[in-house]
Amino acid sequence: MVTRIRREQVSAVAEKDQKTNLWPDQKTSKRKASEPKQADKEVIAESIAEQKGAKREDASEESEQGSETQYWLMKAEPNSRIVKGKDVKFSIDDLAAMPNQTSQWDGVRSFEARNIMRDRMKLGDLVLFYHSNCKEPGIAGLAKVVRTGYPDYTATDPDHPYYDEKSNPDDPKWFMVDVQCVKKYPRFISLKEIQQYKDGPLKDMVLIRRGRLSVQPVSKDEFAFIENLAMQEEPAKTETRYEETPKKKRARKSDKFVRREKFVSKLEISLFHHMYLFDKAIENSLVGRQGDKALYAGHFDPTFKIGNVPNGGYTASVVANAVIQYTSGGKISQPDPIALNAFYLAKNEVGPYVIEVNDIKRSKGSNGYSLVKAVLKQVKNANEADAPICTKADDYDSSKYIPKLLVIMTMGKISSEKGPTFITKPTPVPDRSTLQQPKSFLGQAAGLSQFIDWFPDTSTFPKKANHGQGEPVLKHRIRWKDGKDVDLVSMPAFSDLFMPPPSLLGDEARGGQMWYPTMQMEVQFKAFPKGKEIIASFASRYIINGRAEIDGELWDEENRLGPKRLTYSIFGPHKEGENQIMRGESMSKWQIAGRLVIAYVMYEIFVLCIDFGNAVHRDNVEKIVTANVDETTHMDTEEERRRVIVGRDKVSEVSSSDFPGTYRGIDDSWNLEKFRSKFSATINRMSEREMEFDLVGIDASIANAFRRILIAEIPTVAIEKVFMFNNTSIIQDEVLAHRLGLIPIRAKPSELSYKDADEDPTDLNTIVLKLQIKCERNPEASKDETDQDKMYINHKVYSKDLLWVPQGDQGTRWANDPVGVVDDDILIAKLRPGQEIDCELHCEKGIGKDHAKWSPVGKSTASYRLLPEIKIKKPITDNLADKFAKCFPPGVIEVENVKGVKTAKVANPRKDTVSREVLRHPEFEDKVALTRIRDHFIFNIESTGQIKPQDLFAQSVATLAQKAHNIRQALGDLRDTLDEH
């Protein structure tokens, strides 16, 4: 076992050993009676001999300390376990969080394991880090030996969990080594999975033959096989095994070498997968954590640069690799990337980087989606030789790093996705016969020839180099030169390792040489790719105002659709000497600032989208439809463009289209006068706690911003701490404190300041309430009384029993508006004679983002809906009119007598819930149209009573205005900073 417990002072024996790194009695120490049996020692000796390439009965220590790397497996407990009052938990993450990612491996109390550590291990040996004594044991990562065996001083420490009273510091009995974390595997390899290969490549592994040994040898082939298992996207599937007869067993044993080779071949595993160029280029390792962020560090590979900066797709794969590491090992239940959205904020440089990774939204169910945010940062001039390399979290100062790339990844579980799939009129897979290797790579793509084979369809290329005009369409085959299989983490790179389709228009059409920096890239993963080759088709259908939209599909060798990608790029003339931001292109400083704004807005949108995604269970019917849309058609009138079309099976026209470039000949540029003419706000009803009003002429993003601010960012006062002096009621202290915390407090948040966690309470940041009540029998009640209200005094504890205790000058300041509870009749507890509650409550200022008790609508609602619209296209009369009215909620449709004929008419569409019940009846199919007005929002605010609803909305508007002001000020500061440089 191993523990993180460290002593400030080590024994003199250990200090001596640290200087010599050799214990003189290693070879001559006597074996004890409790050491392993001779048969067990032979098993270990056989495995050690195998990993050195030959079996020998007696190997000298000098030969074992040779230059060949040895491999071992060492076990530790990843879950908390208290021994002698101390936690002996130690996982791969704990090792990675240690200073220099290094720790002593102490606490081993097995003679067999001790002998391996003391006599066999040498510097540079690799160690498989194994999680044991847990629900799912298995291999979690890789470490290496950085210090050979020396006395384990913890054995002589009486306070240590692994103290051995028979151990003598002058004649040490136990030894340990120091190990350093190399990497955490992208995928946890469970013992159950390892045991699947007990008749194959791992049949001789000591872990399977003698599983309880805490330190054990691993052969070179076994180590390579485990490494490849860790690199696979999912556990490899093996053949079904059947019970063998003795004859078959003898035949298998005599032919074990051939069978082993067949087994590995059948799994299609390369024993040196981890040595591929791309795998090494995207490699990064966990250096620790800061708060809720995990920190991964690495160095961009110069092989993958285009011009003077790393390729954009390659950098996205680097970040994706860190995210996949972060989500591996059971951290979240969705291990596979479903979508990647990358926002390129500034120029990446070939040099060291740090990636901050943290959760945005975590789904509890295995069929949901989780959202992970990753920000790649570099120091200024990261490409210089002396650029600092982050090796541990304690040395990381985020203020010295510049954000370069923001990635939002949706994680799910591809293997468990269910539901029908419909693809209509899909993009055809390019004909392989048209994809031929060119004589040379063109332009900036020349650098790619070092590591990929490229087979484009040159029929869309300009007829002459850099002259003439081609088509902005690129079709090609692409593969790694070193034979690496394609996988999910390489898909972002494959989505960008090509010539930009706009470049195929030719210099004459473009107006000269151009650069094509990526502003934003989206990759949607559809399935696990197979094989060693990717076929892709990309096209730029829209190039407007210097912005190019590039979309496309990628297929694997089996012509299965892999990812879909969409990129937004800008292009402009390339001029030597200008400030180059991405791929050496020329960009204005305001374009850089614009990227930051886009990234911020999209970040908020993704948080909203994942809320919806988790609400839709994957087992429900899900349709993915690629519609054949005529790009030349569009809604003719502006009123029609404001409608959301509600159909029987779907809702269409849900996205806003009032932005420039959507429709030819229509000016959709935003201006203040146009907004003023269309905007209106009308209050429909209002009371002390509830208000309904209409907002017309705004975008859904603004309406939703108001809703989120109302729920999470309007400050109130709530009970934060409860000091319990006496509680003899039947309610536990924790439950009682939680009930008290949810009681709305009437106090002015503006009169209080926020209190930090380590700050002392004062009259400026804390309000004190007191609850002191005791239940007694009513002496005036008759013996036959059964009414509890007459039998007992104070047997019900209400919120009105909370009494304000002014602190400092609070009594004077708030004399005209004293602190209290919003509602006096909230039942807190019930008591019986002799029971009492005596506690002091501290109220603090906070917001709903921190806890729902601070939300002014958190226990109520803040919501909006679009205004329904019902259009009767043909008269609905007689019996159909009655049936038509019953398809809607009461009050929506009225039936009138028009010239002696019962006729249906729309009375109040606001009451409609848009249930679409009417569309189920074929007799109404061509007689009614259901729509919603996209920019007409019916808002409903229900306050807890702490703040009036009209004041709540006014504060939400002020908060949003302040956010806009902060962004504007930040952009101004950024402009000033850029001007200085």
Side-chain angles (χ1 to χ4, degrees):
M1 298 301 103
V2 66
T3 177
R4 285 183 293 160
I5 302 171
R6 319 283 281 184
R7 289 174 60 88
E8 294 297 329
Q9 302 292 334
V10 297
S11 64
V13 176
E15 290 179 0
K16 173 184 176 182
D17 179 64
Q18 288 175 354
K19 296 177 181 178
T20 62
N21 202 27
L22 180 65
W23 192 254
D25 295 333
Q26 283 186 9
K27 296 171 63 177
T28 60
S29 60
K30 297 180 180 179
R31 299 189 182 276
K32 308 300 180 182
S34 58
E35 289 193 19
K37 297 178 181 180
Q38 183 64 27
D40 291 339
K41 289 192 287 186
E42 289 176 358
V43 172
I44 302 301
E46 182 180 338
S47 292
I48 294 175
E50 181 184 352
Q51 74 181 11
K52 288 187 167 295
K55 298 182 180 180
R56 28 194 189 275
E57 296 180 359
D58 182 24
S60 66
E61 181 178 357
E62 180 177 352
S63 65
E64 290 173 351
Q65 297 292 332
S67 59
E68 184 179 359
T69 300
Q70 301 178 114
Y71 307 96
W72 311 94
L73 182 144
M74 302 177 78
K75 297 182 178 181
E77 299 183 40
N79 297 335
S80 293
R81 183 168 68 90
I82 306 301
V83 180
K84 293 185 179 180
K86 297 179 180 178
D87 194 350
V88 297
K89 168 185 177 292
F90 195 71
S91 65
I92 186 70
D93 292 326
D94 295 322
L95 177 61
M98 285 289 185
N100 201 28
Q101 297 184 289
T102 302
S103 173
Q104 62 196 28
W105 199 277
D106 55 28
V108 174
R109 299 297 178 259
S110 162
F111 285 99
E112 197 169 357
R114 177 208 65 179
N115 292 346
I116 292 176
M117 296 171 65
R118 183 190 65 186
D119 304 333
R120 302 286 187 177
M121 287 188 176
K122 60 184 180 64
L123 293 177
D125 283 357
L126 295 179
V127 176
L128 296 174
F129 197 113
Y130 185 92
H131 286 174
S132 69
N133 197 21
C134 55
K135 183 177 181 180
E136 185 177 23
I139 298 172
L142 184 66
K144 66 178 178 180
V145 178
V146 294
R147 186 180 179 192
T148 55
Y150 63 100
D152 185 350
Y153 63 81
T154 65
T156 60
D157 181 0
D159 297 330
H160 198 277
Y162 298 123
Y163 169 65
D164 181 4
E165 60 182 6
K166 296 182 180 181
S167 186
N168 183 356
D170 296 328
D171 183 17
K173 181 179 178 181
W174 304 111
F175 285 74
M176 59 185 175
V177 297
D178 286 356
V179 298
Q180 183 180 48
C181 180
V182 175
K183 62 181 176 181
K184 180 177 179 180
Y185 282 146
R187 188 175 67 81
F188 184 79
I189 309 171
S190 67
L191 175 61
K192 184 177 180 181
E193 181 181 350
I194 293 172
Q195 289 173 338
Q196 293 178 4
Y197 307 105
K198 63 182 180 181
D199 295 329
L202 302 182
K203 65 185 181 64
D204 297 322
M205 193 171 186
V206 178
L207 178 66
I208 297 176
R209 299 169 63 187
R210 296 188 61 242
R212 295 186 62 84
L213 188 60
S214 61
V215 180
Q216 50 189 253
V218 178
S219 72
K220 183 177 181 179
D221 286 347
E222 291 165 352
F223 174 80
F225 188 83
I226 293 294
E227 279 270 283
N228 280 275
L229 286 182
M231 298 300 174
Q232 291 181 7
E233 296 292 344
E234 57 182 346
K237 296 182 180 178
T238 60
E239 298 177 286
T240 304
R241 297 181 176 81
Y242 302 93
E243 192 65 32
E244 296 179 305
T245 64
K247 183 177 180 180
K248 288 184 177 180
K249 288 185 178 180
R250 288 194 298 272
R252 179 173 56 82
K253 187 174 182 180
S254 64
D255 196 27
K256 66 178 182 179
F257 178 78
V258 176
R259 288 176 175 270
R260 181 184 222 174
E261 290 298 309
K262 288 182 179 179
F263 187 91
V264 175
S265 176
K266 191 149 191 171
L267 290 173
E268 298 180 347
I269 294 175
S270 168
L271 291 178
F272 298 96
H273 176 88
H274 62 286
M275 297 300 293
Y276 288 124
L277 173 64
F278 184 74
D279 291 337
K280 280 192 166 295
I282 65 172
E283 187 176 19
N284 41 53
S285 57
L286 179 70
V287 297
R289 303 185 70 93
Q290 281 193 1
D292 64 339
K293 295 183 176 65
L295 305 178
Y296 293 84
H299 192 287
F300 283 131
D301 192 323
T303 307
F304 288 82
K305 70 178 182 179
I306 295 183
N308 62 347
V309 297
N311 169 263
Y314 159 65
T315 59
S317 287
V318 168
V319 177
N321 183 47
V323 172
I324 292 174
Q325 290 183 65
Y326 175 78
T327 59
S328 64
K331 272 186 168 57
I332 62 176
S333 55
Q334 295 81 31
D336 305 324
I338 300 298
L340 176 148
N341 289 270
F343 304 91
Y344 295 85
L345 308 178
K347 179 184 73 172
N348 288 301
E349 297 177 302
V350 176
Y353 59 80
V354 174
I355 303 174
E356 300 176 352
V357 185
N358 65 285
D359 294 323
I360 298 176
K361 184 79 174 182
R362 181 174 298 187
S363 173
K364 295 180 181 179
S366 61
N367 291 322
Y369 297 104
S370 292
L371 203 62
V372 179
K373 172 187 173 185
V375 182
L376 186 146
K377 298 183 176 182
Q378 289 184 301
V379 296
K380 187 177 180 180
N381 299 325
N383 57 347
E384 295 182 356
D386 59 348
I389 300 176
C390 181
T391 58
K392 53 184 179 180
D394 294 341
D395 296 338
Y396 177 65
D397 182 359
S398 61
S399 63
K400 297 180 180 179
Y401 284 73
I402 303 170
K404 299 295 186 70
L405 176 61
L406 167 65
V407 173
I408 308 294
M409 290 189 68
T410 304
M411 306 299 291
K413 197 170 184 179
I414 294 177
S415 60
S416 67
E417 288 185 315
K418 298 179 181 179
T421 299
F422 300 98
I423 304 178
T424 61
K425 297 187 181 300
T427 302
V429 181
D431 184 359
R432 293 173 182 267
S433 63
T434 64
L435 309 178
Q436 303 296 326
Q437 192 165 18
K439 295 181 180 180
S440 62
F441 280 61
L442 302 178
Q444 288 295 306
L448 306 181
S449 62
Q450 303 176 55
F451 52 89
I452 65 170
D453 290 324
W454 186 46
F455 304 87
D457 179 356
T458 58
S459 64
T460 61
F461 286 23
K463 303 308 177 185
K464 297 181 180 180
N466 298 324
H467 294 284
Q469 181 171 347
E471 298 179 43
V473 176
L474 176 66
K475 301 175 183 179
H476 67 194
R477 288 188 295 134
I478 190 171
R479 66 191 179 201
W480 302 113
K481 274 187 178 293
D482 55 7
K484 169 182 163 56
D485 287 340
V486 296
D487 52 17
L488 288 178
V489 76
S490 61
M491 288 301 102
F494 277 125
S495 296
D496 200 35
L497 292 177
F498 59 86
M499 298 180 63
S503 68
L504 301 180
L505 290 172
D507 287 353
E508 292 181 358
R510 297 190 311 259
Q513 290 188 355
M514 297 287 177
W515 293 97
Y516 306 89
T518 301
M519 300 171 61
Q520 176 186 343
M521 180 170 70
E522 177 182 354
V523 181
Q524 298 180 8
F525 302 87
K526 304 300 181 184
F528 293 108
K530 294 183 179 180
K532 300 182 182 297
E533 190 172 75
I534 285 293
I535 302 175
S537 175
F538 303 101
S540 290
R541 295 180 175 86
Y542 300 99
I543 302 175
I544 302 173
N545 298 327
R547 287 186 289 111
E549 176 186 293
I550 306 172
D551 59 49
E553 292 83 15
L554 293 87
W555 298 267
D556 63 11
E557 283 187 349
E558 299 179 3
N559 288 349
R560 296 190 317 152
L561 180 64
K564 285 181 61 65
R565 62 90 74 175
L566 179 64
T567 295
Y568 297 98
S569 301
I570 60 174
F571 67 91
H574 170 224
K575 297 179 181 179
E576 296 294 337
E578 285 196 354
N579 181 32
Q580 295 177 346
I581 306 302
M582 294 296 299
R583 296 190 185 173
E585 83 282 7
S586 172
M587 288 182 59
S588 73
K589 297 161 186 176
W590 280 102
Q591 285 172 319
I592 305 171
R595 288 185 179 182
L596 296 174
V597 176
I598 293 172
Y600 172 79
V601 173
M602 293 301 295
Y603 171 87
E604 293 292 331
I605 293 174
F606 280 124
V607 174
L608 298 176
C609 291
I610 204 66
D611 287 337
F612 174 76
N614 283 329
V616 181
H617 195 281
R618 296 311 305 269
D619 289 338
N620 292 339
V621 175
E622 179 179 345
K623 295 185 178 180
I624 305 172
V625 180
T626 304
N628 183 26
V629 180
D630 184 357
E631 297 174 357
T632 63
T633 62
H634 60 79
M635 295 183 181
D636 294 328
T637 67
E638 189 170 346
E639 285 301 309
E640 288 178 334
R641 291 170 58 188
R642 295 176 59 211
R643 266 57 178 176
V644 175
I645 309 300
V646 181
R648 177 179 177 181
D649 300 316
K650 64 179 180 179
V651 178
S652 57
E653 304 297 337
V654 295
S655 301
S656 299
S657 59
D658 53 347
F659 49 85
T662 306
Y663 300 106
R664 182 178 300 175
I666 297 179
D667 181 15
D668 278 315
S669 58
W670 191 91
N671 66 76
L672 182 59
E673 292 303 322
K674 182 179 178 181
F675 172 76
R676 283 177 174 171
S677 65
K678 292 186 176 182
F679 175 77
S680 66
T682 306
I683 298 176
N684 301 317
R685 54 185 173 87
M686 184 169 62
S687 63
E688 283 295 317
R689 295 201 178 184
E690 190 174 0
M691 178 173 69
E692 182 187 277
F693 59 97
D694 288 11
L695 281 182
V696 182
I698 63 172
D699 191 75
S701 59
I702 303 299
N704 196 56
F706 289 141
R707 182 190 67 85
R708 291 175 62 86
I709 292 171
L710 285 166
I711 293 173
E713 298 188 50
I714 303 297
T716 63
V717 176
I719 296 171
E720 171 67 359
K721 294 182 179 179
V722 178
F723 299 91
M724 201 72 66
F725 303 126
N726 191 16
N727 175 24
T728 57
S729 71
I730 63 172
I731 302 180
Q732 300 95 325
D733 291 353
E734 294 83 354
V735 177
L736 179 59
H738 185 71
R739 290 175 65 86
L740 291 168
L742 295 176
I743 296 175
I745 304 299
R746 186 183 67 250
K748 292 183 177 180
S750 59
E751 300 289 335
L752 281 181
S753 59
Y754 289 102
K755 178 180 174 296
D756 294 332
D758 56 351
E759 188 178 358
D760 293 331
T762 68
D763 61 331
L764 300 178
N765 59 28
T766 304
I767 293 174
V768 178
L769 302 177
K770 190 172 184 179
L771 176 60
Q772 191 172 14
I773 191 168
K774 183 176 182 179
C775 179
E776 298 175 345
R777 291 188 180 274
N778 186 357
E780 300 180 358
S782 65
K783 293 182 179 180
D784 299 330
E785 185 61 62
T786 58
D787 187 347
Q788 295 179 2
D789 291 336
K790 296 179 181 179
M791 292 171 60
Y792 310 125
I793 300 174
N794 295 331
H795 77 102
K796 291 183 179 179
V797 184
Y798 289 101
S799 53
K800 65 182 179 182
D801 297 315
L802 300 179
L803 303 178
W804 175 39
V805 183
Q807 306 294 313
D809 64 347
Q810 289 179 349
T812 304
R813 282 190 287 147
W814 301 332
N816 297 328
D817 192 8
V819 174
V821 295
V822 174
D823 299 293
D824 293 337
D825 56 350
I826 298 176
L827 182 64
I828 299 174
K830 290 185 177 181
L831 304 178
R832 286 299 178 262
Q835 295 180 346
E836 65 175 308
I837 298 175
D838 184 5
C839 59
E840 183 176 294
L841 305 94
H842 286 193
C843 306
E844 298 177 7
K845 180 180 178 180
I847 57 176
K849 188 183 296 184
D850 296 328
H851 194 286
K853 65 185 178 184
W854 278 301
S855 175
V857 296
K859 297 169 281 295
S860 302
T861 59
S863 61
Y864 63 82
R865 61 191 179 98
L866 298 180
L867 177 67
E869 188 177 51
I870 304 168
K871 293 182 179 179
I872 299 177
K873 299 189 291 184
K874 295 181 181 179
I876 301 174
T877 59
D878 298 329
N879 294 335
L880 285 181
D882 294 327
K883 184 176 181 180
F884 184 76
K886 292 178 180 179
C887 293
F888 297 88
V892 176
I893 302 296
E894 289 183 355
V895 178
E896 291 184 341
N897 192 318
V898 179
K899 297 181 179 181
V901 179
K902 290 193 298 183
T903 305
K905 76 166 190 175
V906 180
N908 188 355
R910 296 177 66 92
K911 294 183 178 181
D912 184 29
T913 59
V914 196
S915 66
R916 296 185 282 188
E917 168 68 19
V918 68
L919 300 179
R920 295 178 57 223
H921 302 283
E923 56 266 37
F924 301 130
E925 187 172 351
D926 60 342
K927 296 182 179 181
V928 64
L930 303 182
T931 61
R932 285 190 172 191
I933 302 179
R934 184 183 292 113
D935 62 349
H936 189 141
F937 299 90
I938 303 174
F939 246 97
N940 185 77
I941 300 175
E942 187 178 347
S943 170
T944 59
Q946 296 165 289
I947 305 175
K948 293 181 179 180
Q950 62 268 34
D951 294 337
L952 280 175
F953 186 70
Q955 290 187 39
S956 69
V957 174
T959 301
L960 185 60
Q962 183 62 44
K963 287 176 177 286
H965 173 75
N966 293 341
I967 292 177
R968 185 175 183 179
Q969 186 175 13
L971 293 176
D973 295 341
L974 178 61
R975 180 188 60 186
D976 295 341
T977 302
L978 293 173
D979 289 340
E980 293 176 1
H981 297 279

